């Protein structure tokens, strides 16, 4: 009634008509429809569902949810649009017990599901299935696995990794099995005990942290599960969670061997312990329980975020803290805490707490300050593994009130996850573990130490944004604007790599790599003729596949495929925006200049946006005008002297 009264008064104020009235009415409707942080939309999932639930998101925003039907004991895969409309459902392989089924959506659009099979004559095993993202009920294919209560992650190409209890080997132990799409099992690797973290890097390497006997260890395997290294003594008696950080480092949290507290251990990409980033996260007498987790951010002052429940021996309490990259406490909050963390692109940290009335807290990750919160309606309890944050800012969670399950879509301003996701095998590709946008390339020129990335971001920019902010006319961006700051070997060339899946179909030669310096200049870099770090020149850029294979200048790209962008930058060279010795700052974007050729291999040209350096034609009174003014000054002096 109040809204109708306001509409009538606005309309009457402008005489019941006119352009102004129509414009104001349009603005009124738009403003009343605008969503704000914490707004919630609910979608009923079903009343006969049990055990854990899992969410995965399609590239088009479709929400896929996997539950277990309590009556049929079959998995139930449901699809909903990003607006909450029901699309379809289908049955999957039988499942049993908590954490018994997982799903993941591939870049090819297929949906992969792993569940349990029951054979009365033998030990329980698993089943891996692939489905089309449509109403067709039957799977595209199905394969048996030897793993029970498995989870899965998707690697480069068609690689599929299933991870869980191996019930064939006695006593039971954790294993990973490797499949390829439409193929049988291609390989496996076994490690003792109970594992608390398994991660894939961009090259397909797999890192595993596991508790075995009365200690813990970490192992690294290549993409076909061949062993690479083994760290057999972490100093932890029991692991509870893990995450991957910058430069393929892995971070594991668990109970300390030597003290009655919880400790974070950091290993670098070669398996050596990094003492400067290994530290105690709780005080003496406090131990994090199994329902705990942490994520890794990209700010050196607030890098590690840890949440959970701490056991003080006689009682338990909520725990939420942030630490710098060197282990100094950045902030703490004793009134909030939970079992799952999600880090948004806008540096908002979301803490999901099934323990506190099904609450989702939004927190400033840099300061720890409370922003807003949502408590689930209908007396629902949060299911800790059912969470996903989409690029439109929607945070999806699932609640269960004992009678029904509900999908809650929560409005946020995050516009997706911070940086790009690491597939986290053990936690079902929850997409809550993060890594930096910019990574040091594994190969560096001789005598160059691996750079240390201090901060990195990627921001979506339109053609109009780039023209307004940098004056880059006629340039259409395909990727986000990548920016990073890194400590490097002074006055030497360092090589960095970035992951993108936004490049269109077509030849590499159609692309331009645009370097943005301040507000007045742009540099287009040349495409390298190989992936040899020793031959890299300042300003070179090139593309490689996820497995590290170089992509030639005239080769074709496939839309939606993930590629690595390699970039060679010399400290204090023309492509380094930071004049500090030993520090590189570099913003760049991949795209296409209208009417211009792509970045030629070894070529150099001018304003068409291909390789070489070009002055910015769009900035008002930029460097070009200063240069022209400088040319004209002598002539003007001579004229006025006459």
């Amino acid at each position: 009634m109040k809204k109708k009264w306001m509409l009538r008064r606005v309309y009457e104020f402008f005489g019941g008509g006119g352009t102004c009235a129509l414009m104001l009415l349009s603005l009124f409707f738009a403003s009343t429809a605008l969503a704000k942080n914490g707004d919630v939309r609910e979608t009923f999932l079903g009343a006969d569902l049990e055990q854990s639930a899992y969410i995965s998101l399609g590239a088009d925003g479709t929400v896929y949810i996997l539950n277990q039907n309590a009556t049929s004991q079959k998995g139930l895969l449901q699809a909903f649009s990003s607006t909450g409309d029901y699309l379809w459902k289908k049955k999957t392989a039988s499942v049993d017990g908590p954490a018994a089924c997982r799903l993941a959506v591939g870049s090819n659009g297929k949906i992969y599901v792993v569940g349990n099979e029951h054979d009365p004559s033998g030990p329980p095993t698993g089943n891996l299935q692939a489905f089309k993202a449509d109403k067709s009920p039957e799977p595209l294919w199905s394969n048996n696995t030897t793993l029970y209560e498995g989870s899965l992650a998707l690697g480069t190409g068609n690689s599929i990794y299933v991870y869980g209890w191996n019930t064939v080997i006695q006593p039971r132990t954790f294993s990973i099995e490797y499949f390829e799409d439409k193929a049988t099992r291609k390989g496996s690797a076994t490690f003792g005990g109970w594992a608390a973290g398994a991660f894939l890097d961009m090259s397909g390497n797999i890192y595993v942290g596991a508790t075995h006997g009365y200690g813990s260890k970490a192992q690294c395997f290549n993409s076909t599960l061949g062993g690479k290294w083994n760290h057999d003594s972490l100093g932890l008696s029991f692991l509870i969670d893990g995450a991957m950080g910058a430069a393929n480092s892995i971070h594991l949290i668990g109970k300390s061997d030597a003290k009655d507290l919880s400790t974070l251990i950091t290993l670098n990409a070669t398996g050596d312990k990094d003492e400067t980033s290994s530290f105690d996260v709780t005080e003496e007498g406090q131990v994090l329980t199994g329902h705990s987790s942490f994520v890794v951010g990209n700010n050196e002052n607030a890098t590690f975020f840890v949440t959970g429940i701490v056991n003080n021996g006689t009682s338990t309490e909520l725990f939420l803290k942030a630490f710098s990259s060197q282990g100094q406490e950045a902030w703490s909050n004793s009134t909030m805490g939970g079992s799952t963390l999600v880090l948004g692109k806008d540096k908002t940290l979301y803490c999901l707490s099934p323990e506190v009335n099904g609450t989702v807290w939004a927190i400033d990750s840099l300061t720890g300050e409370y922003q807003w919160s949502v408590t689930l309606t209908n007396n629902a309890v949060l299911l800790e593994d059912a969470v996903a944050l989409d690029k439109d800012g929607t945070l999806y969670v699932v609640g269960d009130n004992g009678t029904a399950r509900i999908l809650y879509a929560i409005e946020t301003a995050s516009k997706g996850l911070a940086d790009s996701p690491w597939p986290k095998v053990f936690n079902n590709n929850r997409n809550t573990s993060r890594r930096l946008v910019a990574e040091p390339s594994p190969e560096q020129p001789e005598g160059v130490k691996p750079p240390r990335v201090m901060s990195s971001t990627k921001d979506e920019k339109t053609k109009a944004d780039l023209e307004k902010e940098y004056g880059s006319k006629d340039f259409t961006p395909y990727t986000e604007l990548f920016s990073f700051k890194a400590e490097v070997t002074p006055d030497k060339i360092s090589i960095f790599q970035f992951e993108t899946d936004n490049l269109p179909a077509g030849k590499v030669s159609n692309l331009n790599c645009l370097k943005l310096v301040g507000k007045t200049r742009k540099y287009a870099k040349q495409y390298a003729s190989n992936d040899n770090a020793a031959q890299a020149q300042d300003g070179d850029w090139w593309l490689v596949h996820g497995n590290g294979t170089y992509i030639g200048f005239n080769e074709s790209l496939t839309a939606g495929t993930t590629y690595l962008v390699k970039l060679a930058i010399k400290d204090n060279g023309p492509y380094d925006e930071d004049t500090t010795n030993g520090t590189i700052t570099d913003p760049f974007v991949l795209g296409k200049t209208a009417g211009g050729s792509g970045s030629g291999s070894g070529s150099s040209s001018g304003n068409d946006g291909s390789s070489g350096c070009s002055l910015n034609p769009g900035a008002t009174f930029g460097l070009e005008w200063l240069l022209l003014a400088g040319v004209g000054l002598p002539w003007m002096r001579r004229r006025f002297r006459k």
Side-chain angles (χ1 to χ4, degrees), residues 69 76 90 100 110 133 185 207 213-214 223 231 234 239 321 451 470 515 605 631:
N69 185 285
L76 177 65
K90 57 186 75 180
K110 295 178 183 177
R185 185 171 64 249
Y207 305 85
Y214 294 97
S223 60
H231 192 113
L234 294 176
L239 290 175
K321 285 189 178 183
Y470 298 95
K515 173 70 170 67
S605 62
V631 171

PDB file of all heavy atoms in Angstrom, residues 69 76 90 100 110 133 185 207 213-214 223 231 234 239 321 451 470 515 605 631:
ATOM      1  N   ASN A  69      18.852 -39.646  -2.169  1.00  0.00           N
ATOM      2  CA  ASN A  69      17.454 -39.946  -1.905  1.00  0.00           C
ATOM      3  C   ASN A  69      17.370 -40.998  -0.810  1.00  0.00           C
ATOM      4  O   ASN A  69      17.929 -42.088  -0.932  1.00  0.00           O
ATOM      5  CB  ASN A  69      16.772 -40.442  -3.182  1.00  0.00           C
ATOM      6  CG  ASN A  69      15.288 -40.643  -2.998  1.00  0.00           C
ATOM      7  OD1 ASN A  69      14.860 -41.607  -2.374  1.00  0.00           O
ATOM      8  ND2 ASN A  69      14.496 -39.730  -3.550  1.00  0.00           N
ATOM      9  N   LEU A  76      20.758 -38.139  -6.249  1.00  0.00           N
ATOM     10  CA  LEU A  76      19.812 -37.309  -6.983  1.00  0.00           C
ATOM     11  C   LEU A  76      20.545 -36.064  -7.461  1.00  0.00           C
ATOM     12  O   LEU A  76      20.980 -35.238  -6.661  1.00  0.00           O
ATOM     13  CB  LEU A  76      18.627 -36.914  -6.103  1.00  0.00           C
ATOM     14  CG  LEU A  76      17.605 -35.968  -6.751  1.00  0.00           C
ATOM     15  CD1 LEU A  76      16.905 -36.664  -7.919  1.00  0.00           C
ATOM     16  CD2 LEU A  76      16.593 -35.471  -5.731  1.00  0.00           C
ATOM     17  N   LYS A  90      17.996 -36.163 -12.360  1.00  0.00           N
ATOM     18  CA  LYS A  90      18.299 -37.522 -12.813  1.00  0.00           C
ATOM     19  C   LYS A  90      18.955 -38.301 -11.683  1.00  0.00           C
ATOM     20  O   LYS A  90      19.569 -37.720 -10.778  1.00  0.00           O
ATOM     21  CB  LYS A  90      19.179 -37.507 -14.061  1.00  0.00           C
ATOM     22  CG  LYS A  90      20.489 -36.771 -13.918  1.00  0.00           C
ATOM     23  CD  LYS A  90      21.230 -36.689 -15.256  1.00  0.00           C
ATOM     24  CE  LYS A  90      20.619 -35.680 -16.183  1.00  0.00           C
ATOM     25  NZ  LYS A  90      21.317 -35.569 -17.489  1.00  0.00           N
ATOM     26  N   ALA A 100      29.831 -39.397   0.744  1.00  0.00           N
ATOM     27  CA  ALA A 100      29.891 -40.578  -0.114  1.00  0.00           C
ATOM     28  C   ALA A 100      29.748 -40.259  -1.583  1.00  0.00           C
ATOM     29  O   ALA A 100      29.866 -41.145  -2.406  1.00  0.00           O
ATOM     30  CB  ALA A 100      28.802 -41.567   0.291  1.00  0.00           C
ATOM     31  N   LYS A 110      30.274 -31.355 -19.448  1.00  0.00           N
ATOM     32  CA  LYS A 110      29.819 -32.609 -18.850  1.00  0.00           C
ATOM     33  C   LYS A 110      29.844 -32.514 -17.323  1.00  0.00           C
ATOM     34  O   LYS A 110      30.629 -31.767 -16.742  1.00  0.00           O
ATOM     35  CB  LYS A 110      30.707 -33.765 -19.303  1.00  0.00           C
ATOM     36  CG  LYS A 110      30.630 -34.068 -20.790  1.00  0.00           C
ATOM     37  CD  LYS A 110      31.580 -35.196 -21.165  1.00  0.00           C
ATOM     38  CE  LYS A 110      31.561 -35.448 -22.666  1.00  0.00           C
ATOM     39  NZ  LYS A 110      32.524 -36.504 -23.065  1.00  0.00           N
ATOM     40  N   ALA A 133      24.546 -32.267 -19.638  1.00  0.00           N
ATOM     41  CA  ALA A 133      23.831 -31.249 -18.870  1.00  0.00           C
ATOM     42  C   ALA A 133      22.466 -30.983 -19.500  1.00  0.00           C
ATOM     43  O   ALA A 133      22.161 -29.878 -19.950  1.00  0.00           O
ATOM     44  CB  ALA A 133      24.656 -29.972 -18.801  1.00  0.00           C
ATOM     45  N   ARG A 185      40.334 -46.876 -16.076  1.00  0.00           N
ATOM     46  CA  ARG A 185      41.340 -46.335 -15.169  1.00  0.00           C
ATOM     47  C   ARG A 185      42.723 -46.393 -15.808  1.00  0.00           C
ATOM     48  O   ARG A 185      43.153 -47.411 -16.324  1.00  0.00           O
ATOM     49  CB  ARG A 185      41.324 -47.121 -13.859  1.00  0.00           C
ATOM     50  CG  ARG A 185      42.255 -46.569 -12.798  1.00  0.00           C
ATOM     51  CD  ARG A 185      42.056 -47.244 -11.446  1.00  0.00           C
ATOM     52  NE  ARG A 185      42.387 -48.654 -11.497  1.00  0.00           N
ATOM     53  CZ  ARG A 185      41.507 -49.635 -11.385  1.00  0.00           C
ATOM     54  NH1 ARG A 185      40.230 -49.360 -11.220  1.00  0.00           N
ATOM     55  NH2 ARG A 185      41.874 -50.896 -11.439  1.00  0.00           N
ATOM     56  N   TYR A 207      49.321 -32.785  -5.097  1.00  0.00           N
ATOM     57  CA  TYR A 207      49.980 -32.713  -3.800  1.00  0.00           C
ATOM     58  C   TYR A 207      49.021 -33.271  -2.754  1.00  0.00           C
ATOM     59  O   TYR A 207      47.845 -32.908  -2.721  1.00  0.00           O
ATOM     60  CB  TYR A 207      50.345 -31.269  -3.463  1.00  0.00           C
ATOM     61  CG  TYR A 207      51.192 -30.604  -4.522  1.00  0.00           C
ATOM     62  CD1 TYR A 207      50.606 -30.002  -5.628  1.00  0.00           C
ATOM     63  CD2 TYR A 207      52.577 -30.597  -4.430  1.00  0.00           C
ATOM     64  CE1 TYR A 207      51.373 -29.403  -6.612  1.00  0.00           C
ATOM     65  CE2 TYR A 207      53.356 -29.996  -5.404  1.00  0.00           C
ATOM     66  CZ  TYR A 207      52.752 -29.400  -6.493  1.00  0.00           C
ATOM     67  OH  TYR A 207      53.511 -28.809  -7.473  1.00  0.00           O
ATOM     68  N   GLY A 213      49.805 -43.621  10.747  1.00  0.00           N
ATOM     69  CA  GLY A 213      50.318 -44.039  12.048  1.00  0.00           C
ATOM     70  C   GLY A 213      50.153 -42.919  13.057  1.00  0.00           C
ATOM     71  O   GLY A 213      49.063 -42.421  13.283  1.00  0.00           O
ATOM     72  N   TYR A 214      51.269 -42.484  13.651  1.00  0.00           N
ATOM     73  CA  TYR A 214      51.232 -41.400  14.632  1.00  0.00           C
ATOM     74  C   TYR A 214      51.921 -40.145  14.099  1.00  0.00           C
ATOM     75  O   TYR A 214      52.357 -39.292  14.850  1.00  0.00           O
ATOM     76  CB  TYR A 214      51.891 -41.853  15.936  1.00  0.00           C
ATOM     77  CG  TYR A 214      51.121 -42.942  16.632  1.00  0.00           C
ATOM     78  CD1 TYR A 214      51.477 -44.272  16.461  1.00  0.00           C
ATOM     79  CD2 TYR A 214      50.017 -42.643  17.419  1.00  0.00           C
ATOM     80  CE1 TYR A 214      50.761 -45.291  17.082  1.00  0.00           C
ATOM     81  CE2 TYR A 214      49.292 -43.645  18.038  1.00  0.00           C
ATOM     82  CZ  TYR A 214      49.670 -44.969  17.869  1.00  0.00           C
ATOM     83  OH  TYR A 214      48.949 -45.966  18.480  1.00  0.00           O
ATOM     84  N   SER A 223      51.014 -35.765 -13.245  1.00  0.00           N
ATOM     85  CA  SER A 223      49.636 -35.878 -13.724  1.00  0.00           C
ATOM     86  C   SER A 223      49.215 -37.313 -14.013  1.00  0.00           C
ATOM     87  O   SER A 223      48.020 -37.616 -14.070  1.00  0.00           O
ATOM     88  CB  SER A 223      49.442 -35.020 -14.977  1.00  0.00           C
ATOM     89  OG  SER A 223      50.325 -35.440 -16.002  1.00  0.00           O
ATOM     90  N   HIS A 231      57.701 -35.934   1.599  1.00  0.00           N
ATOM     91  CA  HIS A 231      58.170 -35.325   2.849  1.00  0.00           C
ATOM     92  C   HIS A 231      57.541 -36.134   3.979  1.00  0.00           C
ATOM     93  O   HIS A 231      56.350 -36.017   4.251  1.00  0.00           O
ATOM     94  CB  HIS A 231      57.740 -33.858   2.925  1.00  0.00           C
ATOM     95  CG  HIS A 231      58.408 -33.098   4.031  1.00  0.00           C
ATOM     96  ND1 HIS A 231      59.308 -32.084   3.800  1.00  0.00           N
ATOM     97  CD2 HIS A 231      58.328 -33.219   5.374  1.00  0.00           C
ATOM     98  CE1 HIS A 231      59.738 -31.605   4.952  1.00  0.00           C
ATOM     99  NE2 HIS A 231      59.149 -32.279   5.922  1.00  0.00           N
ATOM    100  N   LEU A 234      56.351 -34.219   8.934  1.00  0.00           N
ATOM    101  CA  LEU A 234      55.860 -32.846   8.965  1.00  0.00           C
ATOM    102  C   LEU A 234      55.867 -32.244  10.364  1.00  0.00           C
ATOM    103  O   LEU A 234      55.740 -31.033  10.518  1.00  0.00           O
ATOM    104  CB  LEU A 234      54.425 -32.794   8.420  1.00  0.00           C
ATOM    105  CG  LEU A 234      54.233 -33.132   6.940  1.00  0.00           C
ATOM    106  CD1 LEU A 234      52.754 -33.117   6.593  1.00  0.00           C
ATOM    107  CD2 LEU A 234      54.996 -32.158   6.060  1.00  0.00           C
ATOM    108  N   LEU A 239      46.382 -34.398  10.713  1.00  0.00           N
ATOM    109  CA  LEU A 239      46.029 -33.326   9.788  1.00  0.00           C
ATOM    110  C   LEU A 239      44.519 -33.114   9.764  1.00  0.00           C
ATOM    111  O   LEU A 239      43.753 -34.076   9.833  1.00  0.00           O
ATOM    112  CB  LEU A 239      46.500 -33.666   8.377  1.00  0.00           C
ATOM    113  CG  LEU A 239      48.007 -33.652   8.119  1.00  0.00           C
ATOM    114  CD1 LEU A 239      48.295 -34.129   6.709  1.00  0.00           C
ATOM    115  CD2 LEU A 239      48.572 -32.269   8.329  1.00  0.00           C
ATOM    116  N   LYS A 321      40.695 -16.534  12.738  1.00  0.00           N
ATOM    117  CA  LYS A 321      41.868 -15.664  12.760  1.00  0.00           C
ATOM    118  C   LYS A 321      42.447 -15.513  11.362  1.00  0.00           C
ATOM    119  O   LYS A 321      42.262 -16.368  10.495  1.00  0.00           O
ATOM    120  CB  LYS A 321      42.949 -16.223  13.691  1.00  0.00           C
ATOM    121  CG  LYS A 321      42.663 -16.063  15.175  1.00  0.00           C
ATOM    122  CD  LYS A 321      43.873 -16.452  16.019  1.00  0.00           C
ATOM    123  CE  LYS A 321      43.596 -16.236  17.505  1.00  0.00           C
ATOM    124  NZ  LYS A 321      44.788 -16.539  18.332  1.00  0.00           N
ATOM    125  N   PRO A 451      60.735 -15.368  -8.592  1.00  0.00           N
ATOM    126  CA  PRO A 451      60.167 -14.144  -8.014  1.00  0.00           C
ATOM    127  C   PRO A 451      59.203 -14.469  -6.876  1.00  0.00           C
ATOM    128  O   PRO A 451      58.602 -15.541  -6.840  1.00  0.00           O
ATOM    129  CB  PRO A 451      59.422 -13.503  -9.191  1.00  0.00           C
ATOM    130  CG  PRO A 451      59.913 -14.196 -10.407  1.00  0.00           C
ATOM    131  CD  PRO A 451      60.351 -15.548  -9.996  1.00  0.00           C
ATOM    132  N   TYR A 470      42.564   4.495 -19.803  1.00  0.00           N
ATOM    133  CA  TYR A 470      43.907   4.467 -20.380  1.00  0.00           C
ATOM    134  C   TYR A 470      43.977   5.082 -21.777  1.00  0.00           C
ATOM    135  O   TYR A 470      45.056   5.168 -22.354  1.00  0.00           O
ATOM    136  CB  TYR A 470      44.425   3.027 -20.447  1.00  0.00           C
ATOM    137  CG  TYR A 470      44.543   2.377 -19.090  1.00  0.00           C
ATOM    138  CD1 TYR A 470      43.523   1.582 -18.588  1.00  0.00           C
ATOM    139  CD2 TYR A 470      45.673   2.578 -18.302  1.00  0.00           C
ATOM    140  CE1 TYR A 470      43.623   0.991 -17.341  1.00  0.00           C
ATOM    141  CE2 TYR A 470      45.782   1.988 -17.056  1.00  0.00           C
ATOM    142  CZ  TYR A 470      44.752   1.200 -16.577  1.00  0.00           C
ATOM    143  OH  TYR A 470      44.855   0.619 -15.341  1.00  0.00           O
ATOM    144  N   LYS A 515      50.209  -3.631 -22.805  1.00  0.00           N
ATOM    145  CA  LYS A 515      50.821  -3.202 -21.545  1.00  0.00           C
ATOM    146  C   LYS A 515      50.371  -1.786 -21.241  1.00  0.00           C
ATOM    147  O   LYS A 515      50.441  -0.916 -22.099  1.00  0.00           O
ATOM    148  CB  LYS A 515      52.344  -3.267 -21.659  1.00  0.00           C
ATOM    149  CG  LYS A 515      53.076  -2.691 -20.458  1.00  0.00           C
ATOM    150  CD  LYS A 515      52.905  -3.574 -19.238  1.00  0.00           C
ATOM    151  CE  LYS A 515      53.838  -3.126 -18.125  1.00  0.00           C
ATOM    152  NZ  LYS A 515      53.498  -1.819 -17.599  1.00  0.00           N
ATOM    153  N   SER A 605      55.967  -2.799 -34.342  1.00  0.00           N
ATOM    154  CA  SER A 605      55.203  -1.852 -35.137  1.00  0.00           C
ATOM    155  C   SER A 605      54.652  -0.770 -34.251  1.00  0.00           C
ATOM    156  O   SER A 605      54.974  -0.675 -33.078  1.00  0.00           O
ATOM    157  CB  SER A 605      54.082  -2.567 -35.893  1.00  0.00           C
ATOM    158  OG  SER A 605      53.189  -3.151 -34.992  1.00  0.00           O
ATOM    159  N   VAL A 631      58.716  19.811 -29.920  1.00  0.00           N
ATOM    160  CA  VAL A 631      59.224  20.047 -31.275  1.00  0.00           C
ATOM    161  C   VAL A 631      58.945  21.473 -31.714  1.00  0.00           C
ATOM    162  O   VAL A 631      59.745  22.119 -32.391  1.00  0.00           O
ATOM    163  CB  VAL A 631      58.582  19.042 -32.258  1.00  0.00           C
ATOM    164  CG1 VAL A 631      58.924  19.411 -33.690  1.00  0.00           C
ATOM    165  CG2 VAL A 631      59.060  17.640 -31.944  1.00  0.00           C
TER     166      VAL A 631
END
